[in-house]
Structures are given as C-alpha cells and as structure tokens.
Amino acid sequence: MGERMAQWRVCRSCDFWLTCMGYRMLGDQDPDGRRVLRIDGRHYLTRTDEQGCPPETGYTSRADRPYVLLEDEIVRNAHWLWLMGSIPDRFREQLPDNARFLAPRS
C-alpha cells in the first residue's frame, strides 16, 4: 500500500477511496463476489460467512437488510454488511449511490 501511495502521491484516505473506485470499475463486485452498495453516500460491501470480512478497513454487522440496485430494481437481501465509511465529498461524483435500502416490513 505505501508503495502505491508514493507512486500515485496520495494520502492513505485517498488511496482507500481510489480502491473503492476500483470496485466500481469491476462492476460493483469484488473478485470474491461481495456486492458493493453505495447508499446515501455510504459505501458498503455485502458478505457471507463463507466469504468472510473483506481486507479493507470497516465495520460489520448482521443486517438482514433488503435492498435494490438502482439499475435493475430487483430485491436482494444482505445478511451481513461491511460499512467501509461515508464517501468524502471529493469522491461522491465518481462514487454515486447505486442502491437503496427498502423499508423494513412492519
């Protein structure tokens, strides 16, 4: 990571968000099949127990949150969510929301 930061002349935070932009270029999935969700300016990765936590910094929680991708409106469910953080303003244009959570059923 330090080598890449020196090569691109970026701080640790920018390097992290550039990595997140890489997920977008991979179709909003990582190589292990975790799906990238950007909702209300926050960056998440879905995961399963088999996949485990992604290598990046973040926080995980049991979610059972239904969501839809804005491109297809198909309802999916995230059992585990990895919150990677709030997307800084300077990256919001390159990392726009791509999904929305559905309201929990009453």
Side-chain angles (χ1 to χ4, degrees):
M1 174 170 59
E3 220 175 273
R4 188 176 63 213
M5 288 170 42
Q7 178 183 358
W8 291 98
R9 297 181 183 189
V10 296
C11 68
R12 184 176 302 274
S13 175
C14 289
D15 182 65
F16 176 80
W17 291 107
L18 289 169
T19 298
C20 293
M21 287 173 58
Y23 286 132
R24 185 170 183 210
M25 291 186 289
L26 291 172
D28 286 330
Q29 287 192 334
D30 79 355
D32 291 332
R34 297 176 188 96
R35 185 169 298 279
V36 173
L37 305 178
R38 292 181 303 277
I39 300 172
D40 294 328
R42 291 187 174 181
H43 196 283
Y44 302 88
L45 281 177
T46 63
R47 72 174 186 90
T48 65
D49 287 330
E50 296 78 30
Q51 291 167 322
C53 295
E56 291 85 0
T57 302
Y59 303 93
T60 191
S61 68
R62 178 70 190 212
D64 291 324
R65 294 283 311 263
Y67 67 92
V68 296
L69 294 176
L70 300 179
E71 67 185 31
D72 62 19
E73 293 291 321
I74 295 172
V75 176
R76 296 170 175 86
N77 194 47
H79 296 291
W80 291 98
L81 281 177
W82 186 259
L83 172 60
M84 297 174 75
S86 294
I87 301 167
D89 290 340
R90 66 183 175 273
F91 289 103
R92 291 270 172 101
E93 190 174 309
Q94 297 96 339
L95 294 169
D97 285 356
N98 69 342
R100 65 183 169 82
F101 288 125
L102 299 177
R105 293 184 182 160
S106 326

